[in-house]
Amino acid sequence: MSKSFYITTTLPYVNAEPHIGFALELVQADIIARVKRLHGDVFFNTGTDEHGLKVYRAAEAVNLPPQEYVNGFAERYLELQKRLNVTTDAFLRTTSSAHIVAAQELWRRCSKDIEKRGFKGLYCVGCEAFVKENDLIDGKCTDHNTVPEIVEEENWFFKVSNEYKSKILTYLKQASVIIPESRRLEAIDFVKNGFGDFSVSRPKERLPWGIPVPGDDSQVMYVWFDALTNYISTLGWPAEGRHFNRFWQEGETVQLAGKDQVRFQSLMWQVMLLSAKIKLTDKVVYHGHITSEGRKMSKSIGNVVNPFDLIDEYGTDAVRYFLGRHINPFADSDFTLERFKEAYHSGLANGLGNLISRVMKMAQDNLIQIPTTPDHTISAEFWNLLDNFEFNKATDLIWQEITMLDQKIQTTEPFKLVKIDREQGVKLISELVVDLYTIARMLSPIMPETSTMIKDLIKTNRAPEKPIFPRKD
Ligand SMILES: [Zn+2]
């Protein structure tokens, strides 16, 4: 029996509309979830991170109570999932009562490592983190281009002992725990140079919007301590029932995150798990950022592409296609509408869409019998690439097949042949249909609706009535 498989996105902050960078993470996780479901049980988690100073201030700015404010955004993130056709098993909101119970319980289990101290530091609200003077340029956070606030207060601190550091280093020495390799080296470097005690609470008077610290009414949890707990609270933890044991303790666990999250996902969260005596994450995969003219696309900067608009105009599978094939899974990629349109026309309107129409028109006009479609014609290389999160290379393989099929039609001209030598012509067309069916099977994790549609056309021997990917001139 194969291992149970757990995959999760990060939980986005709900202080603005969903952007294309989070759509990327959802689609990547969904592709993997769909592949893994072919072999066993999968739990696919996502949700929304709803506490913290950034959210509190955004709610204040529009004069809404924070809960009401986050409810509206949670709806939008749920809507995005539906529009992207992602097959999640849970949508975890950090303001849900089950999650609050879990975060407080995790705090209790870590409490031997948590102590209260006076503290003075520089705080970037954009990062929701204390920042070091060394990391600033002209006194400003490089990600947010803002001057951090000076904060002097009492906080609870999580103590990162030398013993923990050495255990985390041992964990990070396993090549499989972080993809890509450059992020793993970065994580090791963080542990060796600067991973130390970190603050895990805020005074309630400065931040009323958070989960109360157990046993200290004056403090609420640091939003990261709270939010990271979602990865297990979604499985019903602290109840060690069916889901938690099966998917986290005994299953294979994968977290997806943006490349700027290495400290949080691979260090902070792992040391919290160590302290609570819970299994560490098997693998964290870091994707690059989607940039806009070379700058990070982010809510704080305001250069955001709205994924809903793209889906409205081009359709769900076109957006999934672009994110799968034309965004580098690990390095930054620039997004422009021109690039998107060009990829849509060459890959979908003229490429896949045109191929489906040509093959199925010939099939509809000439085939009496629907050809038998074999199950085992996809190369191991394709599955290996997906197993290694190389979405772009895996999708390229499908498009190589599409190009080969186009060339086959061009050189053999079955539409002419069938008029001269009916038997040979029908044989060729049947072969093309079988090849198209294999393409449909390869497309299923990446473009699921298109995959199903091709299979339906083949099973009913019909050509599509109108172009599947109409040109947008
Ligand atoms: Zn910042």
Side-chain angles (χ1 to χ4, degrees), residues 5 7 29-45 86-89:
F5 182 82
I7 188 159
D30 187 56
I31 292 171
I32 298 298
R34 285 173 185 270
V35 170
K36 295 289 180 181
R37 266 190 218 107
L38 301 172
H39 313 291
D41 284 346
V42 171
F43 192 99
F44 174 8
N45 177 57
V86 296
T87 52
T88 50
D89 297 291

Side-chain angles (χ1 to χ4, degrees), residues 124 126-127 141 143-144:
C124 174
C127 296
C141 164
D143 280 343
H144 298 98

Side-chain angles (χ1 to χ4, degrees), residues 60-73:
E60 237 178 16
V62 292
N63 264 317
L64 277 178
Q67 187 66 56
E68 206 174 301
Y69 176 82
V70 297
N71 288 349
F73 279 113

